[in-house]
């Protein structure tokens, strides 16, 4: 055995061991059950194989725009106050459909220049245009508006991912859904408590601390009647928990702008109040603490509302200046306070979310998919291996060994990369088997042609591999490019199919060409000069 053959054989054995480790790791037991358990730990199954929950969420991006324009209104009022500019009203005429537009009414001619300069200096992200009857329109620039909406989706994805990761859901898919605008795809394989997970995701609104202007009222009509049928400037109606001793729903009049929001949170922990009941203690950042301190110091004696999920959860009187911490109390269970604290720590969602689609795949259906996919792969591989043995005789053993090694390398790659195996991924494995056989057929047929031309077995093998190589590379490159396009532009299972196919084809180049050639060289060393090759 020459040195060249030795290092080639060593490379094949080393590759086999490395990817076997990728499949099984270090199993606790060498028994079939132990190996199967080790493989399940290394190769993760997707939603369609393991079962779980499939959700498509619609991000209400106008909520994020409204929050930004609400803050812009406060900055604008500071500009008007500092410039001593007279005005009658600052509001958003259509916050539902055009939350980026702010209208300033009653600006006198002598305040026009100061208004322009103030907006240009401190609110350059907005465009200022004149309107009718001494009014001005402040509109967010289109580029900023587009970026703000895209950022709302990105931030929502990261926040949901943080919440799901905290719950320990393995291999979740949380990404932008390419089939709709501002939509998120969430797939949670093998969730143990789907209702709790959905409840965590549904906690979509930001934590906000607002000034409570009046209330509680029994209904929205009663709230309007108490204010002569009109809402005060910068005020909104919000439902919430009733006052102690009362039942049903309560209605409050609160400010549109918030003193602090969930974005200002530094930490949140589940705890107990002075009576031993469950509560959540929250802590603010330095900047949020300073703003909260300034707000509470100027509103001592007035009511403060803790708003969560667009509902007033708690109303308290500001008795003293509060700087950097507070608490949320209520009729919570210990589990609810832990979940709420986790939600607050994971960050506030920038906008509310609506469910567009919800689908559940049961574990039994996933198990059926696994059995069907594995059965198809085994039947297909067995049929191909038998055909190669019958049609190519001794050389068919060569092809079958290369095929088995190809499958081991592909499964080892899935284990190393922690990729999720889906049903389309199994289809990619089966297609890879077909591509591997195709490469062997090209090589074997070329060797047969060389033998018919009168060449010796060694020369036929040499020429067969050399001349088939270009064709094999060409077919593999075109297929890899197609799969790469699927991976770039596809999503979810399509990506799983693409990545499985790509790596399977790369592994096939190694097994069908390199490994198969080494086996042929070893066979030739065992034959006498002039002895026929079994092909």
């Amino acid at each position: 055995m020459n040195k060249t053959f030795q290092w080639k054989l060593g490379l094949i054995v080393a590759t086999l061991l490395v990817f076997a480790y990728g499949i099984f790791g270090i199993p606790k037991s060498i028994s079939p059950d132990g190996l199967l358990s080790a493989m399940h730990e290394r190769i993760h199954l997707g939603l369609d194989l393991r079962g779980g929950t499939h959700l498509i969420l619609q991000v209400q991006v106008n909520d994020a725009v409204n929050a930004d324009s609400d803050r812009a209104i406060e900055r604008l009022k500071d500009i008007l106050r500092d410039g001593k500019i007279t005005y009658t009203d600052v509001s958003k005429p259509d916050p539902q459909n055009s939350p980026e537009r702010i209208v300033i009414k009653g600006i006198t001619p002598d305040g026009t220049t100061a208004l322009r300069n103030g907006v240009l200096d401190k609110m350059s992200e907005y465009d200022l245009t004149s309107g009718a009857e001494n009014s001005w329109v402040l509109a967010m620039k289109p580029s900023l508006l587009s970026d703000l909406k895209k950022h709302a989706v990105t931030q929502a994805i990261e926040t949901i991912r943080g919440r799901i990761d905290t719950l320990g859901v393995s291999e979740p898919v949380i990404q932008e859904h390419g089939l709709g605008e501002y939509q998120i795809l969430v797939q949670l394989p093998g969730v143990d408590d789907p209702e709790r997970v959905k409840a965590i995701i549904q906690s979509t609104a930001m934590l906000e601390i607002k000034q409570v202007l009046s209330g509680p009222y029994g209904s929205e009509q009663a709230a309007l009647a108490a204010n002569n049928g009109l809402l005060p400037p910068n005020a909104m109606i919000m439902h919430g928990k009733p006052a102690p001793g009362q039942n049903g729903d309560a209605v409050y009049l609160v400010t549109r702008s918030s003193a602090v929001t969930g974005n200002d949170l530094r930490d949140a922990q589940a705890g107990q109040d002075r009576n031993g009941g469950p509560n959540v203690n929250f802590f603010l950042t330095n900047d949020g603490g300073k703003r909260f301190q300034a707000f509470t110091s100027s509103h001592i004696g007035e009511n403060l509302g803790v708003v969560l999920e667009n509902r007033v959860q708690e109303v308290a009187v500001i008795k003293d200046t509060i700087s950097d911490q507070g608490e949320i109390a209520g009729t919570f269970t210990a589990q609810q306070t832990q979940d709420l604290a986790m939600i607050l720590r994971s960050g506030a969602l920038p906008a509310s979310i609506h469910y567009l689609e919800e689908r559940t795949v049961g574990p039994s259906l996933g198990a059926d998919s696994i059995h069907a996919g594995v059965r198809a792969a085994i039947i297909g591989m067995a049929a191909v291996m038998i055909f190669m043995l019958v049609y190519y005789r001794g050389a068919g053993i060569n092809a079958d060994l290369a095929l088995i090694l190809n499958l081991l390398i592909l499964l080892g790659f899935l284990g190393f990369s922690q990729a999720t195996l889906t049903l389309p991924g199994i289809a990619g494995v089966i297609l890879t088997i077909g591509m591997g056989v195709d490469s062997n057929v090209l090589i074997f047929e070329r060797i047969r042609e060389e033998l018919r031309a009168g060449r010796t077995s060694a020369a036929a093998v040499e020429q067969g591999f050399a001349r088939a190589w270009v064709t094999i590379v060409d077919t593999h490159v075109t297929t890899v490019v197609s799969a790469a396009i699927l991976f770039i532009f596809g999503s979810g299972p399509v990506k799983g199919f693409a990545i499985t196919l790509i790596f399977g084809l790369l592994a096939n180049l190694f097994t069908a060409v390199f490994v198969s050639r080494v086996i042929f060289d070893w066979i030739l060393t065992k034959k006498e000069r002039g002895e026929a090759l079994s092909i």
Side-chain angles (χ1 to χ4, degrees), residues 186-206:
V186 178
Q187 292 184 337
L188 308 174
V191 290
D192 296 326
D193 190 354
E195 292 304 320
R196 184 185 173 205
V197 173
K198 286 166 58 180
I200 293 296
I201 295 177
Q202 286 170 342
S203 301
T204 57
M206 291 193 300

Side-chain angles (χ1 to χ4, degrees), residues 19 22 42 104 107 121 131 141 171 204 229 256 277 291 365 399 452 475 499 506:
F19 284 99
R42 303 281 296 182
I104 315 156
I107 298 292
D121 182 42
K141 292 182 177 179
E171 298 300 315
T204 57
R256 286 188 176 274
R291 285 189 283 109
L365 183 59
R452 284 194 291 266
T475 57
I499 194 65
L506 296 177

Side-chain angles (χ1 to χ4, degrees), residues 357-371:
E357 181 181 336
E358 177 182 338
R359 188 168 69 247
T360 301
V361 179
S364 59
L365 183 59
D368 291 341
S369 298
I370 294 175
H371 294 321

Side-chain angles (χ1 to χ4, degrees), residues 72-100:
I73 287 177
E74 296 305 310
R75 291 158 57 198
L76 182 59
K77 288 181 177 179
D78 290 339
I79 292 173
L80 296 171
R81 183 177 59 253
D82 295 342
K84 299 180 180 178
I85 303 170
T86 303
Y87 69 97
T88 57
D89 181 51
V90 177
S91 63
K92 292 183 290 185
D94 189 4
Q96 186 69 28
N97 300 309
S98 300
E100 73 280 5

Side-chain angles (χ1 to χ4, degrees), residues 71-226:
R71 292 189 290 268
I73 287 177
E74 296 305 310
R75 291 158 57 198
L76 182 59
K77 288 181 177 179
D78 290 339
I79 292 173
L80 296 171
R81 183 177 59 253
D82 295 342
K84 299 180 180 178
I85 303 170
T86 303
Y87 69 97
T88 57
D89 181 51
V90 177
S91 63
K92 292 183 290 185
D94 189 4
Q96 186 69 28
N97 300 309
S98 300
E100 73 280 5
R101 294 182 71 253
I102 302 170
V103 176
I104 315 156
K105 296 180 180 179
I107 298 292
T108 57
D110 57 345
T112 299
T113 302
L115 175 62
R116 285 184 179 276
N117 292 337
V119 170
L120 184 63
D121 182 42
K122 297 181 179 180
M123 302 182 69
S124 58
E125 68 274 20
Y126 281 79
D127 291 324
L128 183 67
T129 56
S130 60
E133 299 178 356
N134 296 327
S135 67
W136 291 82
V137 177
L138 195 66
M140 191 181 298
K141 292 182 177 179
S143 59
L144 175 65
L145 181 62
S146 176
D147 290 343
L148 185 60
K149 290 180 178 181
K150 291 178 181 177
H151 179 71
V153 177
T154 303
Q155 186 180 343
I157 290 173
E158 294 304 316
T159 302
I160 292 174
R161 179 176 289 114
R163 295 178 180 181
I164 297 301
D165 288 347
T166 305
L167 290 176
V169 179
S170 62
E171 298 300 315
V173 174
I174 305 168
Q175 62 189 26
E176 193 166 352
H177 188 45
L179 301 181
E181 193 174 27
Y182 310 127
Q183 294 179 5
I184 299 174
L185 171 67
V186 178
Q187 292 184 337
L188 308 174
V191 290
D192 296 326
D193 190 354
E195 292 304 320
R196 184 185 173 205
V197 173
K198 286 166 58 180
I200 293 296
I201 295 177
Q202 286 170 342
S203 301
T204 57
M206 291 193 300
L207 169 71
E208 298 173 284
I209 298 179
K210 295 176 176 285
Q211 182 183 357
V212 177
L213 301 175
S214 61
Y217 300 101
S219 64
E220 293 187 10
Q221 291 75 14
L224 288 172

